[in-house]
Amino acid sequence: METAAVASKDVTVSLAEKKPKVVFVLGGPGSGKGTQCAKIVQHFGYTHLSAGDLLREERDSGSENGTMIKNMMNEGKIVPSEVTIKLLQKAMVENGNDKFLIDGFPRNEENRAAFEAVTKIEPEFVLYFNCPEEELERRILNRNQGREDDNIETVRKRFKVFLESSLPVIEYYKAKGKVREIDAAKPIEEVFEAVKVIFAPKVEKVKSSRCSSCAIL
């Protein structure tokens, strides 16, 4: 137990020294988070970390932690915040990058508070893909095969959970001026144009503006 605690502390210290830039990426099911994260990685050099993917990888690893995660998932229980945060910490420390997109986390206020308390990191901002429920339903039904009623029911449940759990997180960061909201109902390329404005370095924007002026002269 002591060894695990020491190892966890070492990871936290290493991460604090690294001082990574973290962006939380939130949005309802079907809002296009994954698609846009892939584009941000390609254009702006971020590393994309999905909390869900990390949990599934650990679950399938056969480790003691993985067995616990598997049992909790099988029982329909929510994996404790500390477990997910440790996986995120480990992934960030082991990665050579210092810029991370954390996708689908924090899912709720408890996640948010625990992440900041454990890692001592506040996100640079929250990238929020806002999309109406009707559009989310349309997208997911179009990409899924099977009985429509089942799909619609599932989507509506997931969207309800998102509204109840994740919106308070968005409101918390909005009060701190840290939310960058995107209209995710638009076509993929239009959405990315809006994303690019947020991620493009300020220096680059100024330089681009000056070059335009030079061209006129």
Side-chain angles (χ1 to χ4, degrees):
M1 287 292 289
E2 190 174 304
T3 306
V6 170
S8 179
K9 187 178 179 183
D10 287 347
V11 168
T12 302
V13 170
S14 299
L15 194 59
E17 288 171 353
K18 192 171 187 176
K19 294 180 181 174
K21 181 177 183 177
V22 169
V23 174
F24 289 148
V25 183
L26 297 174
S31 58
K33 299 193 308 297
T35 300
Q36 295 300 325
C37 280
K39 287 179 173 291
I40 295 166
V41 168
Q42 185 182 351
H43 286 79
F44 298 105
Y46 278 73
T47 294
H48 178 205
L49 297 177
S50 163
D53 287 349
L54 288 172
L55 283 169
R56 283 185 285 274
E57 283 171 20
E58 187 68 20
R59 176 196 65 190
D60 298 338
S61 70
S63 70
E64 189 178 330
N65 214 23
T67 303
M68 180 269 289
I69 292 169
K70 184 177 182 179
N71 291 338
M72 292 197 77
M73 285 182 167
N74 288 343
E75 291 168 19
K77 294 179 180 176
I78 295 171
V79 177
S81 295
E82 286 74 15
V83 174
T84 307
I85 291 164
K86 279 177 186 173
L87 291 175
L88 287 167
Q89 278 185 305
K90 186 169 179 281
M92 283 191 276
V93 168
E94 290 176 353
N95 191 283
N97 205 350
D98 62 353
K99 301 189 295 185
F100 297 93
L101 301 171
I102 297 185
D103 177 6
F105 185 93
R107 287 183 178 273
N108 53 42
E109 265 291 286
E110 194 267 332
N111 278 174
R112 177 203 66 73
F115 181 87
E116 291 189 8
V118 172
T119 66
K120 313 301 180 195
I121 295 170
E122 269 199 40
E124 293 286 315
F125 58 88
V126 175
L127 188 62
Y128 171 37
F129 290 101
N130 192 0
C131 193
E133 185 176 7
E134 298 75 21
E135 175 62 15
L136 297 177
E137 286 179 13
R138 186 190 69 75
R139 289 179 182 180
I140 291 176
L141 293 179
N142 281 348
R143 75 187 184 194
N144 285 353
Q145 299 295 322
R147 288 179 52 188
E148 286 196 5
D149 288 345
D150 287 345
N151 286 340
I152 288 174
E153 194 61 34
T154 302
V155 174
R156 286 178 181 167
K157 279 180 183 174
R158 286 172 64 198
F159 188 68
K160 186 168 182 277
V161 169
F162 171 75
L163 290 179
E164 290 173 353
S165 301
S166 300
L167 272 190
V169 175
I170 292 163
E171 291 303 321
Y172 172 85
Y173 285 118
K174 194 175 280 186
K176 302 185 85 168
K178 287 194 166 195
V179 173
R180 308 290 181 267
E181 189 168 328
I182 299 284
D183 179 358
K186 293 179 178 179
I188 291 171
E189 289 308 321
E190 283 186 42
V191 172
F192 188 57
E193 286 304 313
V195 169
K196 280 200 288 190
V197 172
I198 292 168
F199 280 88
K202 288 177 183 176
V203 177
E204 193 176 290
K205 291 176 190 171
V206 172
K207 187 178 176 184
S208 172
S209 170
R210 282 178 183 163
C211 286
S212 300
S213 303
C214 293
I216 294 169
L217 290 171

